[in-house]
Amino acid sequence: VPVPMADGGTSQEDLGKFWSCIRPHFGPEPSRATTTLSDGDKKALLQIAWVQEEAAELAAKAAAMTEVRASKEAKLAELAQLKAKPTVGKKVPVPMADGGTSQEDLGKFWSCIRPHFGPEPSRATTTLSDGDKKALLQIAWVQEEAAELAAKAAAMTEVRASKEAKLAELAQLKAKPTVGKKVPVPMAD
């Protein structure tokens, strides 16, 4: 979809993907949204008929959900019992405070907290306290994951040129660079 830009030009954007990033703002768990909206943005969007329908649908689904879920603390306790990284899509029983159990996908839960152990903790979608992180880092498979994330981060910074180096190389080119064609750029190391 062409979207007008401030300079008068247009940019091709996937508005479906954008909607999926802001849609949670209109449901029972706005913290799940990956793109922030101001109150004014949300209010303006709620003037649109299809957004009102989506919000009503999200509210109806939330009201119909009678499933009780395990707490974050209970899921963390279950992660601590595992001998290996959990598998996404495999649900396991997690004890709840009321004595019952809830079927939870600990692999998905791990993927939400995993960024806390890498170079970009802000990408985590579930918050953890420092105590939670320290407790998890006592687990062998979590230590392995953290080491893997650190190695990937170190490898990424070793092979990438700085913005300044790329700008300097651009200044040396006689023609516009081609997308997808890699050229050598000197690094500061």
Side-chain angles (χ1 to χ4, degrees):
V1 173
V3 177
M5 295 173 47
D7 66 1
T10 59
S11 171
Q12 294 292 319
E13 299 288 342
D14 183 345
L15 292 182
K17 184 175 180 180
F18 180 69
W19 172 248
S20 70
C21 292
I22 63 172
R23 185 175 187 253
H25 283 289
F26 302 93
E29 295 182 278
S31 63
R32 290 184 156 275
T34 57
T35 301
T36 59
L37 285 182
S38 69
D39 290 339
D41 292 337
K42 186 175 175 182
K43 190 174 182 178
L45 285 168
L46 281 169
Q47 301 304 307
I48 303 168
W50 67 266
V51 174
Q52 292 171 6
E53 291 170 13
E54 285 277 313
E57 180 183 319
L58 289 169
K61 281 183 182 177
M65 287 178 55
T66 55
E67 178 185 35
V68 178
R69 305 284 307 272
S71 68
K72 175 174 62 175
E73 291 73 20
K75 292 177 199 175
L76 289 170
E78 281 302 304
L79 280 180
Q81 301 302 313
L82 299 178
K83 302 291 183 225
K85 179 176 132 180
T87 303
V88 173
K90 182 180 176 188
K91 292 193 175 191
V92 296
V94 176
M96 296 188 313
D98 68 1
T101 59
S102 172
Q103 293 294 316
E104 300 291 342
D105 183 343
L106 292 181
K108 185 174 180 181
F109 178 67
W110 171 248
S111 70
C112 292
I113 63 173
R114 184 175 187 253
H116 283 291
F117 303 95
E120 297 181 279
S122 63
R123 297 192 72 174
T125 57
T126 300
T127 60
L128 290 181
S129 69
D130 288 340
D132 292 336
K133 290 180 222 172
K134 285 179 184 173
L136 285 169
L137 282 169
Q138 301 305 308
I139 303 166
W141 66 265
V142 175
Q143 292 170 6
E144 291 170 12
E145 286 278 305
E148 179 185 319
L149 288 169
K152 282 182 181 177
M156 287 175 60
T157 58
E158 290 170 11
V159 297
R160 301 294 307 266
S162 69
K163 178 173 76 172
E164 292 77 16
K166 291 186 243 180
L167 289 171
E169 272 310 293
L170 274 177
Q172 302 300 315
L173 296 178
K174 304 261 186 272
K176 176 181 160 187
T178 304
V179 173
K181 181 180 176 187
K182 294 191 176 192
V183 296
V185 176
M187 294 176 51
D189 61 58

